Amino acid sequence: MFDDAKKPLYPGCKKFTKLSALVRLYNLKIRYGWSNTNFSELLSIISDLLPDNNEIPTSLYEAKKTLGALGLSYQKIDACHNDCCLYRKEYANSTKCPKCSLSRWKINKNSTKENNGVTAKQMWYFPIVPRFIRIFKNLENAKNLRCRAMDRKVDGIMRHPTDTPSWRLIDHMWPTFESEQRNLRLGPKRPRYDINTYLAPFGLKILWKEGVQCFDAYKEEYFTLRVVLLWTINDFPAYGNLCGCSVKGFRLDQNMEKRLL
């Protein structure tokens, strides 16, 4: 993997390495929904267009072998159309939602029949633990993740999340968590209505209680990394989605109105 990150795309190429070019191309595949067959054909054509001895893989299979070393694997998990549940664990073989009884499968608009095997909604889950482990294996990243504790100024000015009341509350209530400077605090962006449903695969309870073994490249030692979900990042209407507050019209929640004032 490290060789691919340094290897020029072709002899004399200074702008792209094998890995950087492949990541850019694969990003386009995901963004625009290219099929596997189309992407393989594109790779083959690009390989022919580039100078001889280029490093572009000529098929999706070869590309995935290279990207797999980065820990960029993902899982597709079927979800209820109403976001009630994910079809995993005890619901893995269910054909309808255990809460709202809606079919797992997509409904044909013309005949109103189920397209058996074609899921109505799907979640793409990128496992976070391998990414955390990889972050700390990088010397610069491992050092930067400690800077909040090493170079922190305490002067009453909010310049970093560590200066927020919610951060200090975690430090006060769980001092053992705060004592390990490398522990992570997450803030997912724009969660859905049923945030618990879509956070379930991340295993946050295990990451909070037990943690995971990581190697710190900066201190050259292993440690137990623990993680906490500190807050969510979203816009004003999310108060209604997540907290049940009225956020519009004449029924604007009184407490919300006081906060705005």
Side-chain angles (χ1 to χ4, degrees):
M1 179 190 67
F2 295 105
D3 292 338
D4 292 337
K6 297 179 180 179
K7 188 181 298 181
L9 182 58
Y10 55 84
C13 180
K14 297 181 179 180
K15 191 172 183 179
F16 288 102
T17 64
K18 176 183 178 180
L19 185 61
S20 65
L22 188 53
V23 169
R24 288 281 294 274
L25 289 170
Y26 201 78
N27 184 43
L28 290 175
K29 171 186 169 11
I30 300 301
R31 184 184 304 174
Y32 297 110
W34 296 344
S35 69
N36 294 344
T37 301
N38 289 346
F39 189 65
S40 291
E41 291 183 5
L42 176 65
L43 291 176
S44 180
I45 292 173
I46 292 176
S47 179
D48 290 338
L49 292 174
L50 292 176
D52 293 339
N53 299 321
N54 66 77
E55 299 294 336
I56 281 288
T58 56
S59 68
L60 178 62
Y61 174 74
E62 294 180 11
K64 282 187 173 181
K65 286 200 301 183
T66 301
L67 295 174
L70 293 174
L72 296 177
S73 60
Y74 61 88
Q75 302 171 18
K76 293 182 180 180
I77 305 175
D78 292 353
C80 170
H81 187 72
N82 291 330
D83 305 322
C84 300
C85 73
L86 297 177
Y87 292 101
R88 55 191 292 269
K89 293 187 175 180
E90 66 270 26
Y91 303 135
N93 298 320
S94 300
T95 57
K96 64 179 181 179
C97 177
K99 296 183 179 180
C100 69
S101 298
L102 195 66
S103 174
R104 176 177 183 170
W105 313 119
K106 194 172 184 178
I107 304 298
N108 192 311
K109 294 182 180 180
N110 298 326
S111 63
T112 67
K113 293 183 179 180
E114 296 180 0
N115 288 331
N116 195 19
V118 181
T119 183
K121 181 178 285 189
Q122 207 168 51
M123 169 189 178
W124 287 44
Y125 167 56
F126 293 83
I128 58 175
V129 172
R131 285 158 176 75
F132 292 156
I133 294 175
R134 190 168 297 280
I135 286 174
F136 279 99
K137 283 184 177 180
N138 180 280
L139 178 62
E140 184 177 354
N141 288 339
K143 181 180 179 180
N144 290 337
L145 287 170
R146 296 167 53 87
C147 68
R148 62 177 177 81
M150 297 169 58
D151 303 321
R152 179 180 176 184
K153 292 183 179 180
V154 183
D155 54 8
I157 298 176
M158 187 178 296
R159 56 170 59 88
H160 187 273
T162 54
D163 301 316
T164 61
S166 53
W167 190 291
R168 293 196 296 269
L169 180 63
I170 295 292
D171 293 347
H172 173 71
M173 296 187 65
W174 294 280
T176 56
F177 183 87
E178 186 272 338
S179 63
E180 175 52 77
Q181 301 169 351
R182 294 165 291 195
N183 285 335
L184 299 179
R185 312 185 191 209
L186 305 182
K189 182 180 179 182
R190 293 191 301 175
R192 300 185 63 85
Y193 293 97
D194 297 275
I195 184 173
N196 291 339
T197 298
Y198 290 95
L199 286 179
F202 290 88
L204 293 177
K205 288 184 178 180
I206 296 177
L207 288 173
W208 166 253
K209 294 180 179 179
E210 302 175 13
V212 61
Q213 283 293 304
C214 283
F215 179 75
D216 185 341
Y218 178 68
K219 295 197 69 175
E220 297 184 345
E221 65 181 16
Y222 282 92
F223 73 101
T224 301
L225 171 69
R226 293 172 60 202
V227 178
V228 64
L229 178 63
L230 184 59
W231 47 50
T232 60
I233 303 172
N234 34 252
D235 54 14
F236 180 73
Y239 280 111
N241 298 341
L242 300 177
C243 305
C245 298
S246 178
V247 294
K248 58 184 177 181
F250 293 102
R251 296 183 179 181
L252 181 67
D253 189 276
Q254 293 182 357
N255 292 329
M256 290 299 303
E257 189 174 8
K258 291 179 181 178
R259 293 176 191 175
L260 290 175
L261 296 175

